[in-house]
Amino acid sequence: MTTTTPVLNPRVIALAHYAARALLENVLARHGATFQQSVTLRLAALAEGPVGRDRIVEDLVGALKIDATEAHSVVDELISAGLLAPHEPSQVRITDTGRALFETTSAETAPLTARVYAGIPAEDLVVAGRVLSLITERADEELAALNT
């Protein structure tokens, strides 16, 4: 039986996304964290210092396509859990506990990701990255048009 390589389409993208996300969520669940919390911690960890709460919320809304109320709720959850801390006047910072969780889950997912991407030629990854970035840009434009 001969199988053909599928053409990139919404279903192929969704299957890849959900397969990869399931790997991450499996790791996160062992640490009592959610996908949204992980994305938020990453934003705070990469900020290299206090970051505006509104900036984090804006980035979450843009990346996860959630509303601002839900994004604020995720930030509040992380503050309540001691993973983020308020920083004056309207900023948050990642705590040592939050950074440890971020680093632990990143370290645990790294070998999984490496195995998933193993053997894929660098040129293919560049093309895939370019195409997926273009699709994201266009879908964001369409979503913005729908919401106006």
Side-chain angles (χ1 to χ4, degrees), residues 65-83:
K65 310 304 182 241
I66 59 177
D67 65 33
T69 302
E70 188 174 357
H72 276 289
S73 180
V74 174
V75 173
D76 290 338
E77 290 170 6
L78 292 171
I79 290 171
S80 293
L83 302 172

Side-chain angles (χ1 to χ4, degrees), residues 39-49 51 56 84 92-94 99:
V39 172
T40 308
L41 280 178
R42 182 178 189 281
L43 292 169
L46 297 181
E48 297 182 11
V51 62
I56 293 250
L84 291 180
V92 295
R93 64 173 178 75
I94 194 165
R99 185 165 303 283

Side-chain angles (χ1 to χ4, degrees), residues 41-142:
L41 280 178
R42 182 178 189 281
L43 292 169
L46 297 181
E48 297 182 11
V51 62
R53 182 187 176 111
D54 288 343
R55 175 58 191 252
I56 293 250
V57 166
E58 180 182 315
D59 288 350
L60 285 173
V61 167
L64 300 179
K65 310 304 182 241
I66 59 177
D67 65 33
T69 302
E70 188 174 357
H72 276 289
S73 180
V74 174
V75 173
D76 290 338
E77 290 170 6
L78 292 171
I79 290 171
S80 293
L83 302 172
L84 291 180
H87 187 85
E88 297 302 326
S90 59
Q91 298 179 319
V92 295
R93 64 173 178 75
I94 194 165
T95 64
D96 291 342
T97 304
R99 185 165 303 283
L101 176 61
F102 171 74
E103 290 173 357
T104 297
T105 57
S106 295
E108 289 180 20
T109 57
L112 300 171
T113 302
R115 286 192 296 273
V116 168
Y117 284 78
I120 300 174
E123 311 81 52
D124 290 355
L125 293 173
V126 168
V127 170
R130 185 174 62 243
V131 170
L132 291 172
S133 293
L134 181 58
I135 289 169
T136 300
E137 180 183 320
R138 290 178 179 179
D140 284 345
E141 289 170 1
E142 291 294 328

